[in-house]
Amino acid sequence: DAKTTQPNSMESNEEEPVHLPCNHSTISGTDYIHWYRQLPSQGPEYVIHGLTSNVNNRMASLAIAEDRKSSTLILHRATLRDAAVYYCILRGSGAGSYQLTFGKGTKLSVIP
Amino acid sequence: DVKVTQSSRYLVKRTGEKVFLECVQDMDHENMFWYRQDPGLGLRLIYFSYDVKMKEKGDIPEGYSVSREKKERFSLILESASTNQTSMYLCASSRHPYNSPLHFGNGTRLTVT
């Protein structure tokens, strides 16, 4: 079962870009990289996902390393509403593809 | 927008009671999941289902069972609630097993006394 490693916490100033890293050295070729975030008292919210190429959507960008062993979620201009716990998980078609256990994530604090 | 609805936001039950947590999704998703979330432990997968009447154990299935009689509904059952099952329970659904987003409900905070 492929695992991910994230820093426990990060801080950013408001309106600055934020780069949230995730290591997944045991990723398999068919694993998609997903990012979710969770605000207090809410369920996790989907942010973005990708396989090999970098991805952009209205919420964020996902930069995937060429060897796919790491990825970075990029919030282009942090706002106070982006303060949340961010989870990086792998979902794939290999063995254990349904074992979608989330780790502890990265708690992002945004400083006004 | 996909909506995943969990029947209760808060529940208080006594030790030994049988507890049903209900989850309904409105997007005809094949895949549904039950997680529990505890401080310092992240989200842990209890059970998942990839089709009606199909179920698979997750990482921590002991003390739980599930039922999926209709595509839109996935129920988590605590056969005999215990205090160590006090937790936040989260339901999720997705269209594809890995190439589509997981959509979560807002959770049920269960307290077993």
Side-chain angles (χ1 to χ4, degrees), chain B:
Chain B
D1 267 358
V2 176
K3 195 162 184 184
V4 178
T5 304
Q6 295 185 230
S7 54
S8 304
R9 193 82 168 100
Y10 299 96
L11 270 181
V12 180
K13 296 291 181 180
R14 295 188 182 275
T15 301
E17 276 193 82
K18 191 168 186 176
V19 181
F20 292 86
L21 302 182
E22 305 287 345
C23 175
V24 177
Q25 49 94 3
D26 64 359
M27 283 299 291
D28 201 37
H29 284 171
E30 305 286 342
N31 306 282
M32 297 188 75
F33 308 84
W34 274 107
Y35 290 87
R36 66 177 281 177
Q37 184 172 30
D38 301 288
L41 295 177
L43 281 78
R44 293 179 290 168
L45 183 65
I46 304 171
Y47 266 97
F48 61 92
S49 168
Y50 51 90
D51 202 351
V52 174
K53 297 192 186 295
M54 305 302 289
K55 60 186 180 185
E56 293 287 343
K57 293 180 180 179
D59 295 332
I60 51 164
E62 297 78 19
Y64 303 94
S65 62
V66 290
S67 171
R68 189 144 180 227
E69 296 296 320
K70 292 185 178 181
K71 194 174 187 180
E72 67 270 19
R73 186 180 297 269
F74 193 34
S75 303
L76 181 69
I77 304 154
L78 286 67
E79 297 289 343
S80 177
S82 63
T83 54
N84 63 12
Q85 292 178 310
T86 291
S87 186
M88 171 68 83
Y89 289 88
L90 290 157
C91 175
S93 74
S94 72
R95 182 170 303 284
H96 190 274
Y98 44 88
N99 188 19
S100 67
L102 275 170
H103 298 271
F104 283 86
N106 277 330
T108 296
R109 183 163 295 282
L110 173 67
T111 302
V112 182
T113 62

Side-chain angles (χ1 to χ4, degrees), chain A residues 6 14 23 27 30 46 51-52 56 59 74 86 99 111:
Chain A
Q6 300 176 253
E14 198 176 7
N23 288 316
I27 191 170
T30 51
Y46 168 77
L51 183 62
T52 55
N56 300 296
M59 290 181 71
I74 303 165
Y86 287 78
Q99 303 296 332
I111 303 165

Side-chain angles (χ1 to χ4, degrees), chain A residues 21-70:
Chain A
C22 181
N23 288 316
H24 28 78
S25 57
T26 59
I27 191 170
S28 76
T30 51
D31 284 344
Y32 285 77
I33 302 158
H34 284 241
W35 283 82
Y36 295 81
R37 71 181 186 182
Q38 188 174 23
L39 301 168
S41 302
Q42 293 186 23
E45 173 190 28
Y46 168 77
V47 178
I48 200 166
H49 78 284
L51 183 62
T52 55
S53 303
N54 294 344
V55 184
N56 300 296
N57 67 19
R58 64 176 178 81
M59 290 181 71
S61 296
L62 175 60
I64 301 172
E66 197 168 332
D67 64 6
R68 300 209 328 122
K69 293 185 176 182
S70 65

